[in-house]
Amino acid sequence: MSQPLVHVVDDDASFLKALTRLLGAAGFTVRHYPSAAEFLSHRPHDTPGCVLADLRMPELTGLDLQKALAESADPLPVVFLSGHGDIPSTVRAMKQGAEDFLTKQAPKEVLLAAVERALERDARERLERTRKKDLITRLSALTLREREVLGLVVQGKLNKQIADLLGIHERTVKLHRTAITTKLEVHSVAELTRLVQEAGLLP
Amino acid sequence: MPRSRAQTLAALAFLALLAPAYLCGAETPPKRVLILHSFGQQVEPFRTVAEAFRTELSLRSPNPIAFYEGSLETARFSEGDIDRPFADYLRALSLNQPPDLVVPIGAPAFRFVERHREDLFSDISVLVAGIESRHLNGVDLGPHATAVTFSLDLLGFIEDILRMLPGTNRMSVVIGDSPLDRFWVEEMRQAWQPFNGRIEFTWFNDLTLAAMRQSVEAMPPHSAVVFALNDFNASGLPNEPGAVLDALTKATNAPIFGFFEPELGHGVVGGRLTDVRGLGVRSADMAMRILNGEPPESIPAYAAPPPVPQFDWTQLERWHIDASRLPPDSVIRNRQPSVWRVYRWRVVAAGALVALEAMLILLLMRNRERLQATRADLVKNQENVRLAARAARLGFWTLDLDRDHLWITDEGRELFGWDKTEPLGFGSFLATLRPEDREPTLRAVRRALDGGEDFEAEHLIVLKDGSERWMSTRGSAHQKGTEQPVTLSGVSMDITTRKQAVREAQDLRRELSHSARVSLLGQFTASLAHELGQPLGAIRRNADAAELFLKNTPPDLEEIRAILSDVHKDCERAAMVIDRLRTMLRRREIEIQPLVWSELVHEAVSIVRSDAQARGIMLEIETPLGLPRLMGDRVHVQQVLINLIANAMDAIDEDSMGDRRVTVSAHTENGNLECAVSDTGPGIPPHRLQAIFDPFVTTKPNGMGMGLPICQTIVETLGGRLWAENQARHGAIFRFSLPIAES
């Protein structure tokens, strides 16, 4: 796993420089961008990290950045910084899943803690995303008939019932189940159900 | 004695009258006509009969006629033997050459002829000319005789009077005391018997003229005077035609009625007046026939018709007798309008002349009045001017440069703080000025003198007590011919209060624009906090970093030095924001100086930028290259800009149709810098394009409606103009112009 990156986005060059300097001194690897657009087009992909963004910026604001990031395949947690907090922006930011909302003059400890928390969350979410991706890869190895069977298994249907529903022999159902557990590397129906749920295949 | 006197008189009269009659003589012996008067030749009514007779006969006769006239002066007193001397004379005359015709006029003359028919007039033709018919009652005219008669209607006479003046109950009869008079008194008494009891008659036959006059003077009301006198007064004064009647007319207080036409116009009201002239004319007619050989007895006596009632208009007026009460067919003589008829053109001409003169007089009087009014006005005006000058604190003055003499009104002396008697010159005026104002004032005066033009200056004067006073002085130079002007005259006015008012207005405006600015900036506190938050945040983060760097061993001094440098910069930046804010919030005088547009806009936008970002509004600044500098006051221009941008953003919040954009631009236009702030809001309803600049007009729930009026005042104070338009597509555009700085 590569070193996490802290991305700092602010249209105020002076503040951008100071923050980059602080985070660097605190031991983070920092990348800085003068605008949201700059960040969105130049950030490295599949790299853990987090974003510290000014809420008020010309053209794309902090909230725009957050929204674009959330819709991307490779989201990062966002910590908002503001010259001063105004309530409507804060509420909107938090609703959209902002990691934190800080004033630009927040104490160093609060700021650094927020960055740590954001990075941890990124790591956790990133792992999750990897697992899910892996699962989906494995599920995609199943044949069409195997997926049908899997669907009915996780619904708690017995082999006999499945055979009746699909109009196939009960022994054929057993063969499909063996193939599924082999391909998905699971050992129990409970484990299988959890996996399918995690993959988001079940409602 | 009376007797001999009467004879002498008669003889004298006869002889005197014979002489002129002979003058008419010619080759053929003239016909001889003897006229016999009853009393005297001048006694009416016989005088008129004789005159008409003579005139008519002379005119009609182809041959000359010799008239002899004699008067029976005696008839006045008595008849009978008394006429013998007169008869003797006539006889003597007739023996020599008897007359062809004897014409007695009146009853006494006829009686005389009758008496002396045998001895004097035995074969001579007789024509009785004018005798009252009563005298011929039962009388034979005799041989060779005929007559012209008339009748007096005594009854009708009284009836007429009663008809005109029905209330009449008293009549005084003016009559003489001769035998003839006595005859008539008797006739009248007889005739007027029916009126006894109704009318009281008084007879004046025994009164003197003076007594008669006294009587008629004091007539009671409802009285009338009957004039029946043959024209002599009873006292025997020399007879003058109309003398008695005229005297009575003047005295009487009652109307006078008479019997004969000649009396008309001499004071009688009128009545059925006998036409005595007509009798004379008729007699002449008959005399002509007799002289031509016709025997008199073959010519029937002529009786005059009843006379036509005639009245004197002036007398009717005098006694207030209504014309409607006159007898039918009455003729009114002497009527005033007849004057008009007779003298029409003379009256018109005279009238015109009178009118013209009246107009002239009127004009002259009007002119005189106007002159007087003008003079009064002038005096009043002078007084008014003096009062006005005092009230307006005006001083009139004239400066004679040749003599260096300054004349100025007392008010003027007071204004400049000069004593009433102090002699003054141009120097006195210069001395009141502040030293720094003297040179420019001198220049202005010199310019006026050189160009012969007017000058005007506002200047501060310092009075003797050290107090200051603002004066406005206007004047003009006066030339004598083509020479250099030698006098200046004009007016100086104390404008201290006006200056104070102007200053107060300026103060007020400054106060207003200041409070507007404060409230405007209040809208941008969030934005300003953000502006200030940026450098403060940077400083804090740098300080944090420095702390960390210091913990390293060895400390990274290079990095710390860089940090300190950045901290300095951010401190300056924060200070600038605060400075700007303080400038905007400070009360200040307007300070006009050349300004760079881009700097102005940048600073103004820095205040609103953050707010615009928060509201998702794009702020576009369009600054063309090579824009000249403008003249204005930095803070005030920025205030206008911020206000317009704030309004634009509010308009966008109202309704923006997705595009949220405020554009600030500028370009040169007609020697001015024209700045525009446009928005993508809903625009301004066309009917409100003007009204939005009125105070207290606002569409905002919390607005005071003072922003735009104040902006307009600011721009106008800076010598520019502010107005609003709508953009072709959507949104409003506010433009203001400001003068360009001279390069």
Side-chain angles (χ1 to χ4, degrees), chain B residues 283-294:
Chain B
S283 300
D285 191 40
M286 280 161 76
M288 199 61 229
R289 284 163 71 180
I290 294 166
L291 291 177
N292 283 341
E294 219 171 309

Side-chain angles (χ1 to χ4, degrees), chain B residues 599-612:
Chain B
E599 284 175 12
L600 268 183
V601 177
H602 173 73
E603 285 177 11
V605 164
S606 74
I607 290 174
V608 297
R609 181 175 48 207
S610 171
D611 187 58

Side-chain angles (χ1 to χ4, degrees), chain B residues 684-718:
Chain B
I684 302 160
H687 68 276
R688 292 178 52 85
L689 279 172
Q690 278 299 319
I692 52 170
F693 292 104
D694 293 340
F696 308 115
V697 171
T698 182
T699 53
K700 298 173 194 171
N702 300 317
M704 267 283 283
M706 286 307 288
L708 283 175
I710 289 169
C711 286
Q712 197 170 46
T713 306
I714 289 172
V715 172
E716 281 169 4
T717 305
L718 297 175

Side-chain angles (χ1 to χ4, degrees), chain A residues 1 3 10 30 32 41 48 51-52 58 68 84 87 92 98 106 118 125-126 135 139 141 162 169 183 185 192:
Chain A
M1 204 43 94
Q3 180 75 18
D10 200 313
V30 189
H32 56 89
S41 55
V51 181
L52 266 73
H84 78 294
I87 293 160
R92 256 165 74 203
E125 283 177 353
R126 195 163 294 277
L135 192 63
L139 281 171
I162 297 168
H169 204 273
K183 280 179 181 173
E185 298 168 19
L192 188 66

Side-chain angles (χ1 to χ4, degrees), chain B residues 2-181:
Chain B
R3 201 171 171 180
S4 64
R5 183 169 156 242
Q7 283 170 347
T8 321
L9 275 173
L12 279 174
F14 192 145
L15 292 174
L17 281 162
L18 281 177
Y22 275 121
L23 291 174
C24 300
E27 291 102 47
T28 45
K31 295 283 184 186
R32 295 156 64 95
V33 175
L34 175 64
I35 298 172
L36 286 177
H37 290 273
S38 283
F39 295 97
Q41 290 173 27
Q42 300 301 318
V43 176
E44 290 289 11
F46 312 118
R47 187 186 75 89
T48 305
V49 178
E51 195 182 271
F53 172 76
R54 260 196 328 262
T55 312
E56 279 295 312
L57 193 56
S58 302
L59 281 171
R60 292 189 189 189
S61 170
N63 302 313
I65 290 176
F67 288 101
Y68 301 85
E69 291 188 62
S71 298
L72 257 83
E73 300 283 347
T74 51
R76 203 178 309 181
F77 310 105
S78 58
E79 289 178 2
D81 288 347
I82 199 164
D83 53 38
R84 184 168 296 155
F86 182 55
D88 290 343
Y89 278 108
L90 287 180
R91 192 179 301 117
L93 185 71
S94 298
L95 286 177
N96 192 11
Q97 187 145 22
D100 297 294
L101 179 65
V102 174
V103 183
I105 298 175
F110 167 64
R111 296 252 167 74
F112 177 85
V113 171
E114 211 178 19
R115 278 198 299 277
H116 298 279
R117 196 68 159 162
E118 297 302 320
D119 56 328
L120 283 177
F121 313 113
S122 56
D123 290 318
I124 298 172
S125 299
V126 173
L127 171 63
V128 184
I131 186 161
E132 217 284 333
S133 51
R134 283 177 181 80
H135 294 296
L136 295 180
N137 275 349
V139 173
D140 179 20
L141 283 175
H144 323 301
T146 188
V148 172
T149 67
F150 64 95
S151 298
L152 295 181
D153 181 0
L154 295 178
L155 203 65
F157 180 86
I158 300 295
E159 281 169 352
D160 283 350
I161 294 173
L162 289 175
R163 182 196 184 101
M164 289 179 273
L165 300 163
T168 308
N169 53 21
R170 200 183 167 87
M171 288 190 188
S172 294
V173 186
V174 177
I175 196 158
D177 200 26
S178 70
L180 182 63
D181 290 317

Side-chain angles (χ1 to χ4, degrees), chain B residues 137 219 321 343 385 422 437 443 453 476 494 496 543 607 636:
Chain B
N137 275 349
M219 299 285 280
I321 297 166
Y343 300 112
V385 166
E422 193 177 339
D437 290 344
R443 269 204 302 275
E453 59 198 23
S476 47
D494 181 359
T496 310
I607 290 174
H636 280 104

Side-chain angles (χ1 to χ4, degrees), chain B residues 502-519:
Chain B
V502 168
R503 177 159 309 159
E504 274 164 25
Q506 276 171 352
D507 287 351
L508 208 65
R509 202 155 53 201
R510 197 178 55 225
E511 203 55 42
L512 197 62
S513 76
H514 172 254
S515 45
R517 212 153 55 229
V518 170
S519 104

